[in-house]
Amino acid sequence: MIRFEHVTKSYADGTVAVDDLSFEVAAGELVTLVGPSGCGKTTTMKMVNRLIEPTSGHIYLDGTDISTIDPVELRRRIGYVIQQVGLFPHKTVLDNTATVPHLLGWPRKKARDRAAELLELVGLDPSQYGDRYPDQLSGGQRQRVGVARALAADPPVLLMDEPFGAVDPVVREHLQTEFLRLQSALHKTVLFVTHDIEEAVRLGDRIAVYGEGRVEQFDTPATVLGAPATPYVAEFVGTDRGLKRLSVTPIERGDLELPPVVHLDDTVGRATARMAADDSPWAVVLDAEDQLHGWVSAATLSGLDRTGTQGTVREHARRMDAWLPLGAPLKQAFSTMLQYDAGWIAVLDGDRFLGVLTPTRLHEALRRSTAADAGRITRAEVELETIRNA
Ligand code: ADP
Ligand code: MG
């Protein structure tokens, strides 16, 4: 969708803002450009809508060299959101949002209807906010209007230059969540600039990590965090990259431990035998509908009636209803364990109990996924070296 081919931008004073940049952004993909201030992110963006012309190299949009497209025509196909928002102070929120449709000569009613629809989409009730002026909005609300305005003419491409940089962290997280929801419905091709690695990781399908004017690594968030390509990237993503990686690594089936499963109505004898067969000190307890009930320990049952003629698991089982769906991020698993003060959590596929994640398994999953990304193989193919206590 957007392709950079050996793009360089140098200024008259000799500053090379962007140096021989080549990468491609697929249609519907959200790519974050992340790097410290002055590394060439904004320059990269502005070359896409021809606010800045490259010194050499080519940029293609849908296969067409953009230097052959009239800049005004080009910008109609590209929504642009910047940190300063740039709303017109003397125009209402609705009119601000309808800016591009107005410019395109849409009939007034159609433009206003479209603007109202978009305000709704970004979480601003048009009947409440439509007639306000920008200075009657909070910073977060102004950013929402900025996003709505950029989307008004339904451009296939969005350029977003630190759009959420000026709001406080809580609002910022809200805006990120909303934007992800929006993007999952709209599938725009997005270039999103940020200097915040957390934001880059959270939003990006892929991340371009910028050094000075150059892309040091261009890959998925998980790979950038798990296998930084250069010492520079490693330093930029931070010494807590392992922790950050937890949030971009999903629970997979192969990560799970499979303790024996017993049912509430099983007799004590049957349950004890089941655990003994697996040499397991505990079992997961499901109810008659195979829903998670909790767990029972072998020690609790030992000494009780082993013939199984009296008593069922029901009287001895402990409740534990911490569960997550398959595919949830490992970070959520870890935080659920802490929240429930639990040594394991159940992992379900829809309604179906699949197995459990323990701290040890979680750690293994992280090691496995890191090794898999580094070696470009699947997690199941990774052989972990483990140290076993004698
Ligand atoms: P970022 O957005 O990553 O902070 P920019 O793309 O704005 O970085 O700038 C990249 C580099 O180009 C910086 O060193 C900046 O000072 C320089 N630069 C930007 N605009 C100009 C200009 N008009 N003349 C000279 N240097 C510039
Ligand atoms: Mg910038």
Side-chain angles (χ1 to χ4, degrees):
M1 185 76 184
I2 305 173
R3 193 165 87 245
F4 287 79
E5 250 180 43
H6 302 292
V7 175
T8 294
K9 175 65 189 180
S10 39
Y11 288 105
D13 65 359
T15 307
V16 181
V18 167
D19 185 12
D20 194 25
L21 200 65
S22 295
F23 66 80
E24 189 164 351
V25 182
E29 190 179 26
L30 197 170
V31 168
T32 48
L33 312 183
V34 66
S37 176
C39 68
K41 306 181 298 293
T42 294
T43 304
T44 304
M45 290 287 226
K46 287 186 170 171
M47 288 191 290
V48 177
N49 60 9
R50 295 191 65 187
L51 291 172
I52 294 177
E53 297 291 346
T55 313
S56 62
H58 297 273
I59 301 171
Y60 298 87
L61 183 67
D62 249 348
T64 308
D65 186 335
I66 62 166
S67 68
T68 67
I69 306 174
D70 171 58
V72 175
E73 164 60 26
L74 177 70
R75 280 168 216 153
R76 279 181 196 161
R77 290 157 63 181
I78 301 176
Y80 191 38
V81 190
I82 55 174
Q83 188 182 117
Q84 302 77 11
V85 194
L87 299 179
F88 302 110
H90 57 283
K91 280 192 184 180
T92 65
V93 164
L94 201 70
D95 283 336
N96 263 292
T97 309
T99 302
V100 178
H102 282 321
L103 284 175
L104 293 176
W106 290 21
R108 192 173 156 77
K109 167 121 177 47
K110 185 181 167 199
R112 289 178 69 87
D113 286 351
R114 173 68 180 160
E117 183 188 319
L118 280 159
L119 288 173
E120 191 94 52
L121 201 64
V122 298
L124 291 174
D125 179 355
S127 65
Q128 189 179 351
Y129 296 101
D131 294 332
R132 290 198 191 173
Y133 289 88
D135 67 358
Q136 297 170 312
L137 300 180
S138 71
Q141 289 166 340
R142 277 200 291 274
Q143 289 302 151
R144 289 189 172 96
V145 177
V147 173
R149 183 179 58 179
L151 289 170
D154 203 19
V157 174
L158 273 186
L159 304 179
M160 305 179 78
D161 195 346
E162 313 222 13
F164 311 144
V167 296
D168 68 67
V170 175
V171 174
R172 185 173 212 198
E173 209 181 313
H174 276 154
L175 290 171
Q176 290 170 354
T177 307
E178 276 175 16
F179 184 66
L180 280 176
R181 182 176 48 77
L182 214 60
Q183 170 63 1
S184 71
L186 300 178
H187 305 294
K188 300 291 177 189
T189 304
V190 186
L191 271 182
F192 188 111
V193 161
T194 177
H195 60 262
D196 174 7
I197 182 69
E198 306 267 357
E199 184 166 75
V201 164
R202 178 142 194 248
L203 298 182
D205 297 315
R206 288 189 298 163
I207 308 178
V209 183
Y210 273 61
E212 256 177 48
R214 305 189 70 100
V215 172
E216 297 266 332
Q217 189 169 14
F218 188 55
D219 216 317
T220 61
T223 301
V224 169
L225 291 173
T230 63
Y232 169 87
V233 176
E235 189 178 335
F236 185 75
V237 298
T239 48
D240 64 343
R241 61 178 184 268
L243 214 48
K244 292 190 181 103
R245 223 184 116 88
L246 283 176
S247 55
V248 293
T249 309
I251 303 170
E252 289 184 359
R253 206 174 279 256
D255 300 329
L256 305 179
E257 194 168 312
L258 306 172
V261 171
V262 300
H263 285 82
L264 279 175
D265 293 325
D266 285 348
T267 61
V268 166
R270 187 187 155 95
T272 306
R274 187 72 197 78
M275 283 183 266
D278 279 18
D279 197 19
S280 173
W282 69 293
V284 167
V285 178
L286 304 183
D287 67 17
E289 275 80 51
D290 276 342
Q291 306 282 320
L292 180 67
H293 174 89
W295 60 284
V296 67
S297 82
T300 307
L301 299 189
S302 76
L304 296 172
D305 177 18
R306 285 164 189 277
T307 64
T309 51
Q310 297 160 28
T312 63
V313 168
R314 187 181 297 278
E315 289 97 79
H316 308 285
R318 306 267 294 269
R319 292 274 334 179
M320 191 353 223
D321 47 18
W323 65 272
L324 286 177
L326 194 67
L330 292 178
K331 183 178 175 186
Q332 202 182 346
F334 189 41
S335 101
T336 306
M337 282 178 204
L338 294 175
Q339 185 193 337
Y340 283 81
D341 194 18
W344 59 277
I345 53 158
V347 175
L348 311 187
D349 183 12
D351 271 355
R352 210 155 55 85
F353 171 81
L354 290 181
V356 305
L357 202 67
T358 60
T360 306
R361 288 301 181 115
L362 188 150
H363 183 210
E364 278 180 16
L366 194 67
R367 291 174 63 202
R368 240 179 246 288
S369 76
T370 306
D373 282 347
R376 308 255 167 215
I377 53 176
T378 69
R379 223 187 281 182
E381 291 171 86
V382 175
E383 301 255 357
L384 281 188
E385 279 182 41
T386 48
I387 302 164
R388 297 204 183 277
N389 291 327

